[in-house]
Amino acid sequence: MNISRCWILPPSFISRQSRSCFQDYSLAKGELKFRGELVEPRAIKKTALFTVEGEKDDICAVGQTLAAQELCSGIRPYRKRHHMQPGVGHFGVFSGKKWEGQIYPLLKNTILASD
């Protein structure tokens, strides 16, 4: 599967969401709204959660994706998994050799285990 085909979003949307989540911390502060409704990550219950970070990420600081583990408090702990990938930056998390050989297999196993 070519993951780049899944990311067809207008640049203005990506910019607005990035600013809201990662600079204003609106999700973490419980202030993020979507279509006028408050987003409540604790309401998520029936799914697995796999978060991944790159050690050398210069866009999302280390710890930002890990925070989703706490925000999604409705998901049982055994259904949560976090992975810190050594030696990759922001784009290396979802592309390149480490994605293919180390991160993707973990994601795939998480998905298969959640069925």
Side-chain angles (χ1 to χ4, degrees):
M1 175 181 173
N2 183 348
I3 196 162
S4 65
R5 292 183 183 179
C6 297
W7 300 84
I8 303 172
L9 298 170
S12 61
F13 174 82
I14 293 171
S15 177
R16 188 173 55 250
Q17 293 305 104
S18 294
R19 184 177 54 257
S20 178
C21 286
F22 301 116
Q23 294 173 347
D24 299 338
Y25 307 107
S26 59
L27 182 61
K29 293 189 293 188
E31 300 170 354
L32 183 67
K33 291 187 177 185
F34 178 74
R35 295 183 179 169
E37 300 278 329
L38 193 62
V39 175
E40 299 182 62
R42 68 180 174 275
I44 301 168
K45 297 181 187 319
K46 298 180 180 180
T47 190
L49 177 61
F50 179 75
T51 53
V52 62
E53 297 180 321
E55 173 190 37
K56 297 180 178 182
D57 194 327
D58 60 337
I59 296 174
C60 295
V62 171
Q64 283 189 323
T65 61
L66 181 59
Q69 299 282 334
E70 292 181 31
L71 292 173
C72 297
S73 58
I75 300 173
R76 295 180 184 251
Y78 72 90
R79 296 185 62 113
K80 296 179 182 181
R81 183 170 188 177
H82 179 75
H83 177 69
M84 166 63 72
Q85 181 62 50
V88 300
H90 188 76
F91 296 103
V93 170
F94 293 105
S95 65
K97 291 182 181 182
K98 294 202 177 168
W99 157 253
E100 291 174 9
Q102 297 176 24
I103 301 168
Y104 175 72
L106 294 174
L107 175 61
K108 181 179 175 182
N109 289 339
T110 299
I111 293 169
L112 293 173
S114 69
D115 287 342

